[in-house]
Amino acid sequence: MLNKQLCHYYVAGFILPYIAVYLASQLFKKDLIMKKVLLLALSIMLFISKANAQFDGYTWKVITTTGDFLKREEADFVNVNGKFYLIGGRKIQEVSIFDPKTSIWTTGAKPPMELHHFQAAVYKDEIYLICAMTAGYPHEKPVDNIYIYTPKTDTWRVGATIPQDRRRGSAGVALYKDKFYVTSGILDGHYTGNVTWVDVYDPKTDKWTKLADAPTARDHAHAAIIGDKLYSIGGVQSNAKENKGLQGVVAQVDVYDLKTNKWSVADAKLPNPRAGNGSVVVDNEILVIAGESAKQRVAHNEVDAYNVKTGQFRTLPPLVQGRHAVGAIYHDKKIYTVAGVGNAGGSPLLSTIEIFSKD
């Protein structure tokens, strides 16, 4: 069945466009303008076909590993020199370290305090946790400092102090030209205080700079950078104060031009709005992986890919199990995601790692 579907896709996506353009070109042999239009149309179709062909034949599966990781939520999962670090989460948890070559888990040092609700970023082979939170639901508290983990020495240190008027948690963080861009977040856990703030932090000078506010407030969302633009996709406007829970999931895609310090809003919207998702960048696509929403009790298993060139989403095969409060890694043409929660809310904690591959 799968081979037949792939065959139909190949015919529809690759062969028919060629035939259509060829036949049309014969009708307009003497019309140079129309010929140019047709060539442009063919180029666009070829680009879209190539983009849609990525991940053909890929599926998600749960893999067997040696050793265990500590089950956790509101953590992140990042790659440093080919080893994967499951870091942070509620409670003070050791770092769980995964070697994808051997499928073996080992254990690293505990952080100096509870750190959760952050998007980790890697800079000079160290893992930076910026605008994390601590304490329990619904009044999780933004931490005062950046926290940094060094895999080489398996040690933690306290980094720069975050300006008091810019402290928040559950923000998006992405690295661009050796500077950290911090987007949106929330002031008071899940309770209230969604913000549109955007800052850039320079680790060389310890300087924070305020940038143009984002069009949309959101928390529990990741930031992603492709080229000279930053993208905010997914997330929620948490509001336990008014008992709204996950009702305020965000479908809008916000785009920040890193050169001009200006925001715009994409035409496309996230097809399945949700928060607490993982994300990875693969070429010109941002993959939004899993998440949670008020739409369903079970965590989402959907994977939506946003192509920054075409400005469109497409749907990829779903995870084996829905999960949220997760991170994801793209490595060696495979995607990994691990841990998190199986239902909306805080339970059950999951003990599996999934891989998206052709194997």
Side-chain angles (χ1 to χ4, degrees):
M1 177 62 73
L2 180 60
N3 288 337
K4 185 181 290 186
Q5 289 175 342
L6 290 174
C7 182
H8 290 165
Y9 172 80
Y10 180 80
V11 170
F14 290 85
I15 297 176
L16 292 182
Y18 281 109
I19 295 173
V21 172
Y22 172 76
L23 292 175
S25 67
Q26 298 307 301
L27 295 173
F28 298 101
K29 275 184 177 180
K30 297 181 180 180
D31 192 327
L32 294 178
I33 294 177
M34 185 57 69
K35 268 193 170 183
K36 290 180 180 179
V37 170
L38 291 168
L39 286 172
L40 177 61
L42 178 59
S43 298
I44 293 171
M45 284 188 282
L46 284 172
F47 178 82
I48 294 173
S49 296
K50 182 180 178 181
N52 288 340
Q54 183 152 253
F55 300 122
D56 276 358
Y58 275 60
T59 56
W60 289 93
K61 60 179 175 292
V62 174
I63 60 173
T64 301
T65 63
T66 301
D68 295 310
F69 62 86
L70 290 174
K71 295 187 287 186
R72 66 188 78 198
E73 59 163 326
E74 307 302 354
D76 208 353
F77 196 41
V78 292
N79 178 5
V80 181
N81 295 325
K83 288 191 176 180
F84 304 165
Y85 295 82
L86 179 58
I87 190 167
R90 294 192 185 274
K91 302 180 181 179
I92 301 178
Q93 306 250 41
E94 294 97 340
V95 177
S96 292
I97 306 164
F98 182 69
D99 187 335
K101 292 181 179 179
T102 62
S103 292
I104 294 174
W105 287 98
T106 54
T107 300
K110 290 183 178 181
M113 66 178 294
E114 180 189 46
L115 297 165
H116 51 71
H117 286 89
F118 56 83
Q119 181 178 0
V122 177
Y123 173 68
K124 292 189 175 180
D125 297 336
E126 294 185 307
I127 303 171
Y128 281 66
L129 277 54
I130 302 176
C131 287
M133 291 198 286
T134 194
Y137 178 89
H139 293 291
E140 295 92 340
K141 179 184 179 296
V143 299
D144 297 344
N145 293 81
I146 295 169
Y147 285 81
I148 304 162
Y149 175 71
T150 306
K152 186 176 181 179
T153 58
D154 187 30
T155 55
W156 287 86
R157 72 178 187 274
V158 180
T161 300
I162 299 169
Q164 187 171 1
D165 65 341
R166 306 305 277 183
R167 288 175 196 163
R168 71 274 203 187
S170 203
V173 177
L175 191 69
Y176 174 77
K177 294 186 176 180
D178 292 336
K179 295 180 181 180
F180 297 94
Y181 286 77
V182 185
T183 64
S184 301
I186 189 167
L187 302 178
D188 185 3
H190 290 75
Y191 197 68
T192 190
N194 318 104
V195 295
T196 56
W197 300 344
V198 182
D199 302 277
V200 59
Y201 168 66
D202 187 340
K204 293 179 181 178
T205 62
D206 273 346
K207 182 181 178 182
W208 283 78
T209 303
K210 297 178 183 179
L211 302 174
D213 283 353
T216 312
R218 66 182 82 209
D219 52 87
H220 291 76
H222 280 187
I225 290 176
I226 296 180
D228 296 312
K229 292 184 178 179
L230 179 150
Y231 299 82
S232 288
I233 306 177
V236 64
Q237 295 175 354
S238 295
N239 189 353
K241 183 178 181 179
E242 298 179 11
N243 295 315
K244 291 187 177 179
L246 292 166
Q247 295 175 34
V249 289
V250 180
Q252 181 171 300
V253 177
D254 293 336
V255 185
Y256 178 70
D257 191 314
L258 293 151
K259 289 186 173 181
T260 65
N261 188 31
K262 291 182 179 179
W263 285 90
S264 60
V265 176
D267 292 333
K269 295 184 183 298
L270 181 61
N272 299 288
R274 54 202 190 271
N277 54 272
S279 66
V280 295
V281 171
V282 183
D283 297 332
N284 291 315
E285 290 188 305
I286 301 165
L287 275 61
V288 181
I289 301 168
E292 64 175 337
S293 74
K295 178 182 177 182
Q296 59 192 56
R297 173 60 178 158
V298 176
H300 287 263
N301 64 355
E302 294 96 334
V303 180
D304 297 303
Y306 178 70
N307 190 304
V308 302
K309 296 295 185 183
T310 65
Q312 299 295 321
F313 280 96
R314 66 186 178 112
T315 300
L316 294 178
L319 277 70
V320 175
Q321 180 168 16
R323 62 185 73 214
H324 73 91
V326 300
I329 292 171
Y330 179 66
H331 175 73
D332 195 22
K333 297 184 179 180
K334 300 172 184 177
I335 299 172
Y336 299 78
T337 191
V338 66
V341 185
N343 290 329
S347 65
L349 295 179
L350 301 178
S351 59
T352 55
I353 178 171
E354 293 192 37
I355 183 173
F356 188 51
S357 69
K358 272 188 175 181
D359 303 337

